């Protein structure tokens, strides 16, 4: 079939169809990204925590900006090459464009990966700590590897599973851990299912729980039917009574009840939960997000109750690479407390010698910076210094500051390797100088613990949402442009103008992707 | 639209030039944000940095739109479609921001705000 108006303009619009179509599509994209940009504005203005200004490493973002701008130039060159009928030139320019897309996504991947493996902990006193965790030798996973020291240990004596809600992989994990601890998990009391008796002492297995679940669901359905039938019977009988003649349903309702004795024979035993005893009581560990821990009883998210004493379950930092007091300061100012006093009363400063040293060092550095700014810019008419150190400089001790401290240089004068600008600190390289402290935090002080994922705070949530959506656009655009590059030869030979038009339309999309990044880069990396 | 080979060759020069301008302004954005000596407003990030950053970004976006996306010689219908969407978006933002009683303390564009 002949497609009309591929590159000849339609009389009514004065344009070819594809151009109108792509601009309509880009208009809808404006609305899509616009929605997320306004989310960003509102999340930022409404944040009840110090917004992480300029928190991302600038270098990868800057390189990505250059890469995208460069690809925008090459894609328009590719179009011009087709207009000039230079196939080789088109191939070269389009190839570079797609390579740029690959570089962009590669850098994005590195950036995401670093975030995804970087630990953060917020203490109950609002101190925020960042770094990497130790391994916990008591928490061995299914592959025999120690898990990160951010788990909850419980000396389990008794487990009660919810028959309908138990989560299979977690049951399997409990069985595995009990076996590793040479303990048996066995049914606490005898249980009778239809036509089958399960003696006390039957070992826990997923099959067993599934059989109990099946029996429970069957009983529950049966009992519901029996009760409904009985109630229906009562209604029929009530309506037939002479004294109820002419009465409305709501008048009769209070007197209509099921007689339990009548249906006792048809009712089957329901088992909404089932208990198992752990002998001897053994240590089980759980990921902190799966459990709500208590001193004597804890509960998993699938409603499994664990009776047993909570064990020492610290969050153990192998490398503590940032201490952030900005949230402490924010809370202190709300309550009218002196921020420095509030910081010096935190658990961290009172309990960690290294953290105290780092804080004192940072205080001295801030004082130096304050003096420098005063010398340089002077005071205003109210005798206040014109420029003062930022909140970040005052109250956040970042990894670069730890490096500066270890190297014995002033803040901002530290030597950072280029790879560290992408990947974060090189711990092995910094190890000999004990640049980054170790730290054990008692579990009861941990308010929130997690990696820098969307779950950490609204900044990372919107950062990942917007950059991921943008990344999808980069991939989609690269696929379309790649199609023209690798499959366009035939079209070029039969009708070069057609291919030129397609590349122009694909290029318009590509420029739009660049245009979005032009805004994303400053708002996420520089502001 | 520049369609003759001469015009295309001429516009290639324009594209190169615009590409360079975009590179330079990206550098400027990063420099004013990271080099203390070039910092405007108070020391560190404040609303002046935000305004400057967004102005430069808008300028760059305009260049991309006008030159790379050929909006400089496009039919009127395209303007209606694209700028119509932008205006519509701005209108919607104003609708949201006109809320007087919400937990977000945003009291208008008076530029004296601790952004």
């Amino acid at each position: 079939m002949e497609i009309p108006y591929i590159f000849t303009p339609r009389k009514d619009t004065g344009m070819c169809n594809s151009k109108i179509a792509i601009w309509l599509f880009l208009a809808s994209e404006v609305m899509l990204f616009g929605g997320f940009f306004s989310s960003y504005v509102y999340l930022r203005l409404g944040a009840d925590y110090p917004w992480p200004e300029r928190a991302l490493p600038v270098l990868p973002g800057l390189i990505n900006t250059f890469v995208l701008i460069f690809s925008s130039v090459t894609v328009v060159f590719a179009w011009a090459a087709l207009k000039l009928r230079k196939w080789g030139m088109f191939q070269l320019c389009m190839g570079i464009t797609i390579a740029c897309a690959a570089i962009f996504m590669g850098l994005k991947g590195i950036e995401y990966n670093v975030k995804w493996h970087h630990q953060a902990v917020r203490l109950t006193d609002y101190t925020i700590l960042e770094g990497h965790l130790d391994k916990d030798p008591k928490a061995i996973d299914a592959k025999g590897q120690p898990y990160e020291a951010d788990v909850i240990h419980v000396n389990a004596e008794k487990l009660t599973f919810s028959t309908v809600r138990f989560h299979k992989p977690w049951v399997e994990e409990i069985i595995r851990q009990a076996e590793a601890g040479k303990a048996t998990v066995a049914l606490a009391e005898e249980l009778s299912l239809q036509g089958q008796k399960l003696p006390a002492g039957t070992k826990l297995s997923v099959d067993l729980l599934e059989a109990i679940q099946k029996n429970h669901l069957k009983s529950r359905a049966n009992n519901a039917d029996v009760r409904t039938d009985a109630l229906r019977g009562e209604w029929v009988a009530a309506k037939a009574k002479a004294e109820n003649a002419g009465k409305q349903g709501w008048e009769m309702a209070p007197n209509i009840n099921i007689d339990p004795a009548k249906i006792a024979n048809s009712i089957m035993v329901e088992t909404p939960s089932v208990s198992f005893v752990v002998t001897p009581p053994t240590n089980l560990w759980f990921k902190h997000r799966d459990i709500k821990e208590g001193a004597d009883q804890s509960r998993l998210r699938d409603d499994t109750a664990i009776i047993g004493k909570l064990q020492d379950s610290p969050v153990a930092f192998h490398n503590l690479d940032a201490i952030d007091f900005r949230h402490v300061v924010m809370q202190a100012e709300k309550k009218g407390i002196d921020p420095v006093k509030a910081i010096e009363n935190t658990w961290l400063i009172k309990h960690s010698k290294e953290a105290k040293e780092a804080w004192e060092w940072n205080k001295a550095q801030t004082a130096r910076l304050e003096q420098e700014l005063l010398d340089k810019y002077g005071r205003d008419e109210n005798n206040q210094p014109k420029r003062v150190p930022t909140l970040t400089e005052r109250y956040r001790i970042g990894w670069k500051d730890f490096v500066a401290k270890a190297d014995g240089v002033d803040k901002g004068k530290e030597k950072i390797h280029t790879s560290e600008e992408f990947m974060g600190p090189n711990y092995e390289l910094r190890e000999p100088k004990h640049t980054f402290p170790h730290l054990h935090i008692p579990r009861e002080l941990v308010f929130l613990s997690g990696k820098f994922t969307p779950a950490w705070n609204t900044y990372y949530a919107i950062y990942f949402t917007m950059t991921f959506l943008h990344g999808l656009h980069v991939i989609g655009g690269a696929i379309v442009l790649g199609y023209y590059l690798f499959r366009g030869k035939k079209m070029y030979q039969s009708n070069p103008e057609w291919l030129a038009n397609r590349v122009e339309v694909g290029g318009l999309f590509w420029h739009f992707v660049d245009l979005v990044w032009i805004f994303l880069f400053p708002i996420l990396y520089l502001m | 639209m520049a369609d003759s080979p001469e015009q295309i060759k001429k516009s290639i020069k324009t594209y190169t030039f615009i590409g360079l301008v975009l590179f330079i302004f990206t550098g400027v954005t990063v420099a004013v944000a990271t080099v203390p000596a070039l910092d405007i407003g108070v020391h560190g990030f404040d609303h002046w940095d935000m305004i400057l950053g967004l102005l430069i970004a808008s300028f760059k976006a305009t260049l991309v739109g006008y030159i790379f996306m050929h909006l400089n010689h496009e039919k009127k219908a395209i303007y209606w479609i694209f700028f119509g969407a932008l205006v519509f978006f701005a209108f919607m933002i104003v609708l949201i921001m006109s809320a007087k009683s919400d937990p977000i303390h945003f009291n208008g564009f008076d530029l004296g705000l601790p952004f």
Side-chain angles (χ1 to χ4, degrees):
Chain A
M1 196 188 80
E2 182 88 1
I3 307 171
Y5 310 115
I6 292 168
F7 50 84
T8 48
R10 261 174 78 120
K11 270 195 190 135
D12 49 358
T13 60
M15 274 170 293
C16 56
N17 284 346
S18 53
K19 190 168 267 181
I20 281 231
I22 190 73
W23 278 105
L24 279 174
F25 175 63
L26 293 183
S28 76
E29 292 276 86
V30 166
M31 298 308 290
L32 173 67
F33 278 100
F36 283 113
F37 275 105
S38 49
S39 307
Y40 169 88
V41 171
Y42 265 78
L43 289 175
R44 180 165 188 162
L45 293 179
D48 64 348
Y49 61 96
W51 189 261
E53 274 166 25
R54 299 176 178 174
L56 300 173
V58 173
L59 189 61
L62 176 63
I63 293 175
N64 262 350
T65 311
F66 283 144
V67 166
L68 267 200
I69 292 174
F70 187 66
S71 75
S72 252
V73 176
T74 55
V75 83
V76 83
F77 278 2
W79 167 78
L82 281 181
K83 281 282 192 185
L84 298 170
R85 306 286 183 267
K86 290 180 179 167
W87 176 253
M89 192 63 188
F90 163 73
Q91 278 185 309
L92 178 69
C93 291
M94 203 48 120
I96 293 174
T97 307
I98 291 161
C100 284
I103 295 171
F104 182 90
M105 290 314 291
L107 280 175
K108 197 95 267 176
I110 292 175
E111 208 179 294
Y112 277 10
N113 195 42
V114 170
K115 294 274 159 287
W116 226 259
H117 288 98
H118 201 183
Q119 181 76 30
V121 173
R122 197 188 113 185
L123 305 191
T124 45
D125 62 11
Y126 296 99
T127 312
I128 291 169
L129 303 166
E130 299 168 20
H132 290 85
L133 296 181
D134 260 336
K135 298 289 179 198
D136 185 340
K138 283 196 294 176
I140 307 294
D141 69 12
K143 289 175 192 149
Q145 299 298 318
Y147 201 79
E148 282 189 336
D150 186 17
V151 296
I152 310 285
H153 293 277
V154 180
N155 191 34
E157 292 164 22
K158 193 175 171 190
L159 303 166
T160 304
F161 293 96
S162 156
T163 321
V164 283
R165 287 206 57 202
F166 73 88
H167 184 51
K168 251 202 273 182
W170 292 357
V171 177
E172 281 161 3
E173 180 62 19
I174 287 172
I175 296 170
R176 188 190 69 74
Q177 288 188 22
E179 274 171 10
K182 297 197 172 42
T184 51
V185 186
L187 208 54
E189 306 167 338
E190 186 188 80
L191 203 66
S192 57
L193 310 183
Q194 252 87 46
Q196 197 192 351
K197 276 213 184 312
L198 294 172
T202 310
K203 267 180 125 183
L204 170 68
S205 69
V206 172
D207 288 345
L208 178 69
L209 282 183
E210 278 177 344
I212 297 170
Q213 181 188 58
K214 208 173 148 194
N215 180 69
H216 169 67
L217 293 178
K218 208 171 135 192
S219 307
R220 203 167 69 174
N222 170 71
N223 296 348
D225 285 348
V226 169
R227 288 194 193 99
T228 311
D229 286 347
L231 197 58
R232 202 171 276 142
E234 295 290 333
W235 272 100
V236 172
K239 278 180 186 165
K241 278 184 191 163
E243 65 199 64
N244 286 338
K247 273 195 185 169
Q248 297 288 319
W250 58 267
E251 289 171 297
M252 294 189 277
N255 301 321
I256 295 174
N257 291 305
I258 307 169
D259 180 5
K262 273 193 201 165
I263 57 170
N265 285 339
S266 321
I267 288 287
M268 285 156 60
V269 182
E270 294 180 25
T271 36
S273 65
V274 54
S275 296
F276 290 81
V277 188
V278 187
T279 35
T282 193
N283 184 64
L284 299 180
W285 59 271
F286 302 90
K287 290 173 189 169
H288 65 84
R289 61 175 175 274
D290 296 338
I291 190 169
K292 192 171 183 354
E293 69 273 20
D296 300 306
Q297 182 170 350
S298 307
R299 189 171 280 275
L300 300 187
R301 277 196 291 133
D302 69 350
D303 268 355
T304 304
I306 304 156
I307 311 271
K309 290 254 179 284
L310 184 68
Q311 305 293 297
D312 192 22
S313 313
V315 176
F317 274 103
H318 183 62
N319 295 302
L320 181 70
D321 62 22
I323 301 171
D324 201 325
F325 288 122
R326 283 177 294 178
H327 206 168
V328 178
V329 172
M330 191 179 181
Q331 293 297 329
E333 280 173 352
K334 249 187 221 170
K335 289 177 190 154
I337 305 169
D338 174 34
V340 175
K341 212 174 255 173
I343 289 171
E344 285 170 1
N345 266 325
T346 54
W347 172 86
L348 183 73
I349 296 298
K350 283 186 172 165
H351 287 82
S352 163
K353 199 176 118 257
E354 286 109 328
K356 192 163 193 261
E357 271 174 31
W359 164 245
E360 294 296 341
W361 176 86
N362 197 63
K363 245 186 1 187
Q365 289 292 318
T366 312
R368 178 189 61 79
L369 183 67
E370 213 162 359
Q371 192 56 47
E372 262 179 35
L373 288 172
L374 189 62
D375 293 346
K376 204 166 171 188
Y377 298 101
R379 292 171 185 277
D380 61 12
E381 59 271 23
N382 299 326
N383 206 27
Q384 294 298 320
K386 273 189 182 157
R387 295 193 175 191
V388 290
T390 62
L391 268 186
T392 311
E393 282 161 344
R394 280 183 202 276
Y395 303 122
R396 183 185 158 85
I397 307 162
W399 70 268
K400 288 183 180 177
D401 299 332
F402 277 106
V403 170
K405 180 175 171 285
D407 288 352
V409 296
D410 277 342
K411 205 172 185 164
K413 304 262 163 46
E414 63 277 353
K415 275 207 177 74
I416 303 295
H417 296 261
T418 314
S419 71
E420 291 181 308
E421 295 283 4
F422 288 89
M423 312 294 288
N426 183 336
Y427 298 99
E428 278 172 32
L429 188 81
R430 308 288 180 191
E431 190 65 32
K433 285 188 178 168
H434 303 293
T435 308
F436 302 110
H438 294 228
L439 183 71
H440 278 234
I441 309 162
R443 176 60 54 179
E444 62 271 20
L445 292 173
V446 176
F447 176 81
L448 185 66
S449 146
K451 308 285 185 217
F452 282 99
T453 61
W456 176 243
N457 60 24
T458 48
Y459 172 74
Y460 283 100
I462 196 73
Y463 156 75
F464 277 109
T465 310
M466 292 180 94
T467 55
F468 181 74
L469 183 66
H470 178 263
L472 281 184
H473 279 72
V474 171
I475 293 170
I479 291 172
V480 172
L481 296 179
Y483 182 81
Y484 299 150
L485 174 60
F486 297 112
R487 297 269 166 182
K489 187 81 197 239
K490 225 180 188 177
M491 189 187 276
Y492 178 71
Q493 282 160 345
S494 68
N495 190 345
E497 202 53 31
W498 189 357
L499 184 64
N501 172 271
R502 283 195 162 189
V503 168
E504 187 186 357
V505 166
L508 281 176
F509 177 77
W510 194 254
H511 296 309
F512 180 79
V513 172
D514 181 26
L515 207 143
V516 171
W517 184 257
I518 283 176
F519 284 101
L520 277 182
F521 173 60
I523 68 161
L524 293 174
Y525 291 75
L526 303 175
M527 290 182 182
Chain B
M1 167 89 43
D3 260 5
S4 70
E6 292 74 38
Q7 279 171 315
I8 297 273
K9 276 178 191 160
K10 214 175 132 192
S11 43
I12 286 182
K13 278 186 192 150
T14 317
Y15 299 147
T16 317
F17 174 70
I18 296 301
L20 276 177
V21 172
L22 291 175
F23 267 64
I24 291 166
F25 274 91
T26 305
V28 171
T29 315
V30 173
V32 294
T34 54
V35 180
L38 299 175
D39 195 1
I40 62 163
V42 302
H43 173 68
F45 178 76
D46 69 335
H47 58 272
W48 291 113
D49 294 283
M50 183 200 70
I51 291 166
L52 181 66
L54 289 181
L55 275 181
I56 296 176
S58 306
F59 174 65
K60 282 163 68 187
T62 311
L63 285 184
V64 171
Y66 266 75
I67 310 296
F68 289 164
M69 296 170 92
H70 305 144
L71 278 175
N72 51 354
H73 42 236
E74 204 48 90
K75 292 273 183 310
K76 255 199 181 138
I78 300 293
Y79 288 91
W80 279 109
I81 293 171
F82 195 65
F83 291 104
L86 281 176
V87 169
F88 186 59
F89 168 68
F91 170 67
M92 306 262 263
I93 287 272
V94 169
L95 276 194
I96 302 175
M97 290 204 167
S98 57
K100 286 267 195 292
S101 167
D102 69 16
I104 296 169
H105 300 293
F106 177 75
N107 34 10
F109 296 97
D110 64 356
L111 308 184
L113 288 155
F115 277 114

